[in-house]
PDB file of all heavy atoms in Angstrom:
ATOM      1  N   GLY X 172       2.976   4.424   1.804  1.00  0.00           N
ATOM      2  CA  GLY X 172       3.967   4.439   2.913  1.00  0.00           C
ATOM      3  C   GLY X 172       4.571   3.100   3.263  1.00  0.00           C
ATOM      4  O   GLY X 172       5.668   2.977   3.709  1.00  0.00           O
ATOM      5  N   ILE X 173       3.823   2.031   3.001  1.00  0.00           N
ATOM      6  CA  ILE X 173       4.304   0.694   3.340  1.00  0.00           C
ATOM      7  C   ILE X 173       5.161   0.100   2.210  1.00  0.00           C
ATOM      8  O   ILE X 173       5.858  -0.855   2.412  1.00  0.00           O
ATOM      9  CB  ILE X 173       3.201  -0.279   3.687  1.00  0.00           C
ATOM     10  CG1 ILE X 173       2.216  -0.485   2.584  1.00  0.00           C
ATOM     11  CG2 ILE X 173       2.487   0.172   4.967  1.00  0.00           C
ATOM     12  CD1 ILE X 173       1.117  -1.569   2.839  1.00  0.00           C
ATOM     13  N   THR X 174       5.105   0.669   1.045  1.00  0.00           N
ATOM     14  CA  THR X 174       5.866   0.183  -0.094  1.00  0.00           C
ATOM     15  C   THR X 174       7.367   0.088   0.098  1.00  0.00           C
ATOM     16  O   THR X 174       7.975  -0.957  -0.152  1.00  0.00           O
ATOM     17  CB  THR X 174       5.502   0.979  -1.377  1.00  0.00           C
ATOM     18  OG1 THR X 174       4.078   0.918  -1.584  1.00  0.00           O
ATOM     19  CG2 THR X 174       6.209   0.427  -2.591  1.00  0.00           C
ATOM     20  N   PRO X 175       8.005   1.134   0.641  1.00  0.00           N
ATOM     21  CA  PRO X 175       9.462   1.020   0.860  1.00  0.00           C
ATOM     22  C   PRO X 175       9.826  -0.080   1.835  1.00  0.00           C
ATOM     23  O   PRO X 175      10.788  -0.804   1.661  1.00  0.00           O
ATOM     24  CB  PRO X 175       9.851   2.381   1.367  1.00  0.00           C
ATOM     25  CG  PRO X 175       8.800   3.315   0.943  1.00  0.00           C
ATOM     26  CD  PRO X 175       7.544   2.513   0.870  1.00  0.00           C
ATOM     27  N   SER X 176       9.011  -0.266   2.898  1.00  0.00           N
ATOM     28  CA  SER X 176       9.249  -1.296   3.866  1.00  0.00           C
ATOM     29  C   SER X 176       9.118  -2.697   3.251  1.00  0.00           C
ATOM     30  O   SER X 176       9.916  -3.570   3.503  1.00  0.00           O
ATOM     31  CB  SER X 176       8.311  -1.184   5.082  1.00  0.00           C
ATOM     32  OG  SER X 176       8.507  -0.035   5.776  1.00  0.00           O
ATOM     33  N   LEU X 177       8.121  -2.833   2.442  1.00  0.00           N
ATOM     34  CA  LEU X 177       7.921  -4.106   1.751  1.00  0.00           C
ATOM     35  C   LEU X 177       9.030  -4.463   0.822  1.00  0.00           C
ATOM     36  O   LEU X 177       9.588  -5.547   0.856  1.00  0.00           O
ATOM     37  CB  LEU X 177       6.574  -4.054   0.964  1.00  0.00           C
ATOM     38  CG  LEU X 177       6.170  -5.306   0.253  1.00  0.00           C
ATOM     39  CD1 LEU X 177       6.003  -6.448   1.206  1.00  0.00           C
ATOM     40  CD2 LEU X 177       4.949  -5.104  -0.569  1.00  0.00           C
ATOM     41  N   GLN X 178       9.493  -3.460   0.041  1.00  0.00           N
ATOM     42  CA  GLN X 178      10.612  -3.668  -0.832  1.00  0.00           C
ATOM     43  C   GLN X 178      11.858  -3.996  -0.076  1.00  0.00           C
ATOM     44  O   GLN X 178      12.612  -4.904  -0.477  1.00  0.00           O
ATOM     45  CB  GLN X 178      10.870  -2.418  -1.688  1.00  0.00           C
ATOM     46  CG  GLN X 178       9.941  -2.233  -2.868  1.00  0.00           C
ATOM     47  CD  GLN X 178      10.195  -3.286  -3.960  1.00  0.00           C
ATOM     48  OE1 GLN X 178       9.565  -4.324  -3.941  1.00  0.00           O
ATOM     49  NE2 GLN X 178      10.993  -2.928  -4.896  1.00  0.00           N
ATOM     50  N   LEU X 179      12.146  -3.283   1.045  1.00  0.00           N
ATOM     51  CA  LEU X 179      13.312  -3.543   1.809  1.00  0.00           C
ATOM     52  C   LEU X 179      13.312  -4.934   2.361  1.00  0.00           C
ATOM     53  O   LEU X 179      14.334  -5.682   2.297  1.00  0.00           O
ATOM     54  CB  LEU X 179      13.425  -2.504   2.912  1.00  0.00           C
ATOM     55  CG  LEU X 179      14.616  -2.629   3.863  1.00  0.00           C
ATOM     56  CD1 LEU X 179      15.928  -2.504   3.121  1.00  0.00           C
ATOM     57  CD2 LEU X 179      14.495  -1.609   4.982  1.00  0.00           C
ATOM     58  N   ARG X 180      12.181  -5.363   2.902  1.00  0.00           N
ATOM     59  CA  ARG X 180      12.071  -6.711   3.507  1.00  0.00           C
ATOM     60  C   ARG X 180      12.223  -7.788   2.450  1.00  0.00           C
ATOM     61  O   ARG X 180      12.966  -8.776   2.659  1.00  0.00           O
ATOM     62  CB  ARG X 180      10.728  -6.919   4.263  1.00  0.00           C
ATOM     63  CG  ARG X 180      10.597  -6.071   5.459  1.00  0.00           C
ATOM     64  CD  ARG X 180      11.457  -6.522   6.607  1.00  0.00           C
ATOM     65  NE  ARG X 180      11.135  -7.887   6.969  1.00  0.00           N
ATOM     66  CZ  ARG X 180      12.000  -8.798   7.463  1.00  0.00           C
ATOM     67  NH1 ARG X 180      13.242  -8.491   7.565  1.00  0.00           N
ATOM     68  NH2 ARG X 180      11.587  -9.979   7.769  1.00  0.00           N
ATOM     69  N   VAL X 181      11.625  -7.629   1.308  1.00  0.00           N
ATOM     70  CA  VAL X 181      11.711  -8.644   0.236  1.00  0.00           C
ATOM     71  C   VAL X 181      13.144  -8.750  -0.245  1.00  0.00           C
ATOM     72  O   VAL X 181      13.664  -9.870  -0.396  1.00  0.00           O
ATOM     73  CB  VAL X 181      10.705  -8.289  -0.919  1.00  0.00           C
ATOM     74  CG1 VAL X 181      11.064  -9.103  -2.146  1.00  0.00           C
ATOM     75  CG2 VAL X 181       9.287  -8.493  -0.504  1.00  0.00           C
ATOM     76  N   ILE X 182      13.785  -7.650  -0.528  1.00  0.00           N
ATOM     77  CA  ILE X 182      15.142  -7.652  -1.040  1.00  0.00           C
ATOM     78  C   ILE X 182      16.129  -8.220  -0.011  1.00  0.00           C
ATOM     79  O   ILE X 182      17.014  -9.028  -0.322  1.00  0.00           O
ATOM     80  CB  ILE X 182      15.570  -6.255  -1.497  1.00  0.00           C
ATOM     81  CG1 ILE X 182      14.760  -5.841  -2.743  1.00  0.00           C
ATOM     82  CG2 ILE X 182      17.079  -6.212  -1.799  1.00  0.00           C
ATOM     83  CD1 ILE X 182      14.891  -4.402  -3.124  1.00  0.00           C
ATOM     84  N   SER X 183      15.952  -7.863   1.249  1.00  0.00           N
ATOM     85  CA  SER X 183      16.873  -8.337   2.294  1.00  0.00           C
ATOM     86  C   SER X 183      16.651  -9.832   2.560  1.00  0.00           C
ATOM     87  O   SER X 183      17.597 -10.513   2.846  1.00  0.00           O
ATOM     88  CB  SER X 183      16.750  -7.503   3.574  1.00  0.00           C
ATOM     89  OG  SER X 183      15.460  -7.659   4.108  1.00  0.00           O
ATOM     90  N   LEU X 184      15.455 -10.334   2.460  1.00  0.00           N
ATOM     91  CA  LEU X 184      15.192 -11.745   2.668  1.00  0.00           C
ATOM     92  C   LEU X 184      15.624 -12.618   1.488  1.00  0.00           C
ATOM     93  O   LEU X 184      15.875 -13.798   1.621  1.00  0.00           O
ATOM     94  CB  LEU X 184      13.715 -12.015   2.989  1.00  0.00           C
ATOM     95  CG  LEU X 184      13.252 -11.479   4.343  1.00  0.00           C
ATOM     96  CD1 LEU X 184      11.723 -11.663   4.443  1.00  0.00           C
ATOM     97  CD2 LEU X 184      13.914 -12.184   5.467  1.00  0.00           C
ATOM     98  N   ALA X 185      15.708 -11.978   0.278  1.00  0.00           N
ATOM     99  CA  ALA X 185      16.026 -12.772  -0.897  1.00  0.00           C
ATOM    100  C   ALA X 185      17.498 -13.113  -1.054  1.00  0.00           C
ATOM    101  O   ALA X 185      17.826 -13.992  -1.794  1.00  0.00           O
ATOM    102  CB  ALA X 185      15.556 -11.973  -2.152  1.00  0.00           C
ATOM    103  N   GLY X 186      18.350 -12.416  -0.285  1.00  0.00           N
ATOM    104  CA  GLY X 186      19.780 -12.692  -0.390  1.00  0.00           C
ATOM    105  C   GLY X 186      20.340 -12.396  -1.741  1.00  0.00           C
ATOM    106  O   GLY X 186      20.217 -11.258  -2.215  1.00  0.00           O
ATOM    107  N   GLU X 187      20.924 -13.361  -2.346  1.00  0.00           N
ATOM    108  CA  GLU X 187      21.593 -13.179  -3.685  1.00  0.00           C
ATOM    109  C   GLU X 187      20.580 -12.906  -4.752  1.00  0.00           C
ATOM    110  O   GLU X 187      20.920 -12.326  -5.766  1.00  0.00           O
ATOM    111  CB  GLU X 187      22.394 -14.452  -4.023  1.00  0.00           C
ATOM    112  CG  GLU X 187      23.451 -14.818  -3.073  1.00  0.00           C
ATOM    113  CD  GLU X 187      24.819 -14.631  -3.626  1.00  0.00           C
ATOM    114  OE1 GLU X 187      24.944 -14.604  -4.852  1.00  0.00           O
ATOM    115  OE2 GLU X 187      25.768 -14.501  -2.864  1.00  0.00           O
ATOM    116  N   GLY X 188      19.326 -13.267  -4.615  1.00  0.00           N
ATOM    117  CA  GLY X 188      18.296 -13.043  -5.593  1.00  0.00           C
ATOM    118  C   GLY X 188      17.546 -11.742  -5.384  1.00  0.00           C
ATOM    119  O   GLY X 188      16.410 -11.605  -5.871  1.00  0.00           O
ATOM    120  N   GLY X 189      18.172 -10.767  -4.692  1.00  0.00           N
ATOM    121  CA  GLY X 189      17.498  -9.529  -4.357  1.00  0.00           C
ATOM    122  C   GLY X 189      17.070  -8.782  -5.588  1.00  0.00           C
ATOM    123  O   GLY X 189      15.979  -8.150  -5.551  1.00  0.00           O
ATOM    124  N   ASP X 190      17.881  -8.737  -6.636  1.00  0.00           N
ATOM    125  CA  ASP X 190      17.495  -8.018  -7.818  1.00  0.00           C
ATOM    126  C   ASP X 190      16.220  -8.590  -8.454  1.00  0.00           C
ATOM    127  O   ASP X 190      15.304  -7.836  -8.878  1.00  0.00           O
ATOM    128  CB  ASP X 190      18.590  -8.018  -8.887  1.00  0.00           C
ATOM    129  CG  ASP X 190      19.768  -7.206  -8.436  1.00  0.00           C
ATOM    130  OD1 ASP X 190      19.610  -6.300  -7.620  1.00  0.00           O
ATOM    131  OD2 ASP X 190      20.894  -7.437  -8.982  1.00  0.00           O
ATOM    132  N   LEU X 191      16.103  -9.908  -8.530  1.00  0.00           N
ATOM    133  CA  LEU X 191      14.936 -10.536  -9.080  1.00  0.00           C
ATOM    134  C   LEU X 191      13.728 -10.356  -8.157  1.00  0.00           C
ATOM    135  O   LEU X 191      12.608 -10.098  -8.590  1.00  0.00           O
ATOM    136  CB  LEU X 191      15.188 -12.024  -9.325  1.00  0.00           C
ATOM    137  CG  LEU X 191      14.040 -12.798  -9.940  1.00  0.00           C
ATOM    138  CD1 LEU X 191      13.652 -12.237 -11.309  1.00  0.00           C
ATOM    139  CD2 LEU X 191      14.391 -14.294 -10.051  1.00  0.00           C
ATOM    140  N   ALA X 192      13.984 -10.460  -6.849  1.00  0.00           N
ATOM    141  CA  ALA X 192      12.922 -10.326  -5.836  1.00  0.00           C
ATOM    142  C   ALA X 192      12.344  -8.901  -5.869  1.00  0.00           C
ATOM    143  O   ALA X 192      11.131  -8.708  -5.602  1.00  0.00           O
ATOM    144  CB  ALA X 192      13.417 -10.659  -4.471  1.00  0.00           C
ATOM    145  N   ALA X 193      13.118  -7.935  -6.204  1.00  0.00           N
ATOM    146  CA  ALA X 193      12.645  -6.526  -6.280  1.00  0.00           C
ATOM    147  C   ALA X 193      11.520  -6.344  -7.299  1.00  0.00           C
ATOM    148  O   ALA X 193      10.746  -5.415  -7.206  1.00  0.00           O
ATOM    149  CB  ALA X 193      13.792  -5.606  -6.596  1.00  0.00           C
ATOM    150  N   THR X 194      11.400  -7.257  -8.250  1.00  0.00           N
ATOM    151  CA  THR X 194      10.398  -7.141  -9.294  1.00  0.00           C
ATOM    152  C   THR X 194       9.051  -7.717  -8.857  1.00  0.00           C
ATOM    153  O   THR X 194       8.027  -7.547  -9.554  1.00  0.00           O
ATOM    154  CB  THR X 194      10.808  -7.867 -10.589  1.00  0.00           C
ATOM    155  OG1 THR X 194      10.904  -9.296 -10.306  1.00  0.00           O
ATOM    156  CG2 THR X 194      12.144  -7.360 -11.072  1.00  0.00           C
ATOM    157  N   LEU X 195       9.001  -8.386  -7.719  1.00  0.00           N
ATOM    158  CA  LEU X 195       7.759  -9.050  -7.287  1.00  0.00           C
ATOM    159  C   LEU X 195       6.628  -8.047  -7.024  1.00  0.00           C
ATOM    160  O   LEU X 195       5.491  -8.333  -7.348  1.00  0.00           O
ATOM    161  CB  LEU X 195       8.006  -9.855  -6.010  1.00  0.00           C
ATOM    162  CG  LEU X 195       8.890 -11.100  -6.193  1.00  0.00           C
ATOM    163  CD1 LEU X 195       9.140 -11.796  -4.839  1.00  0.00           C
ATOM    164  CD2 LEU X 195       8.176 -12.088  -7.154  1.00  0.00           C
ATOM    165  N   GLY X 196       6.884  -6.961  -6.436  1.00  0.00           N
ATOM    166  CA  GLY X 196       5.871  -5.929  -6.182  1.00  0.00           C
ATOM    167  C   GLY X 196       5.128  -5.459  -7.439  1.00  0.00           C
ATOM    168  O   GLY X 196       3.983  -5.454  -7.546  1.00  0.00           O
ATOM    169  N   ALA X 197       5.979  -5.120  -8.401  1.00  0.00           N
ATOM    170  CA  ALA X 197       5.416  -4.623  -9.659  1.00  0.00           C
ATOM    171  C   ALA X 197       4.664  -5.748 -10.360  1.00  0.00           C
ATOM    172  O   ALA X 197       3.623  -5.484 -10.993  1.00  0.00           O
ATOM    173  CB  ALA X 197       6.525  -4.037 -10.554  1.00  0.00           C
ATOM    174  N   SER X 198       5.182  -6.956 -10.290  1.00  0.00           N
ATOM    175  CA  SER X 198       4.533  -8.067 -10.926  1.00  0.00           C
ATOM    176  C   SER X 198       3.137  -8.335 -10.289  1.00  0.00           C
ATOM    177  O   SER X 198       2.178  -8.632 -10.981  1.00  0.00           O
ATOM    178  CB  SER X 198       5.405  -9.323 -10.844  1.00  0.00           C
ATOM    179  OG  SER X 198       6.593  -9.138 -11.529  1.00  0.00           O
TER     180      SER X 198
END
Side-chain angles (χ1 to χ4, degrees):
I173 62 174
T174 304
S176 295
L177 182 62
Q178 282 289 91
L179 179 62
R180 291 292 296 148
V181 167
I182 291 169
S183 64
L184 291 173
E187 301 247 342
D190 290 338
L191 181 60
T194 65
L195 290 176
S198 298

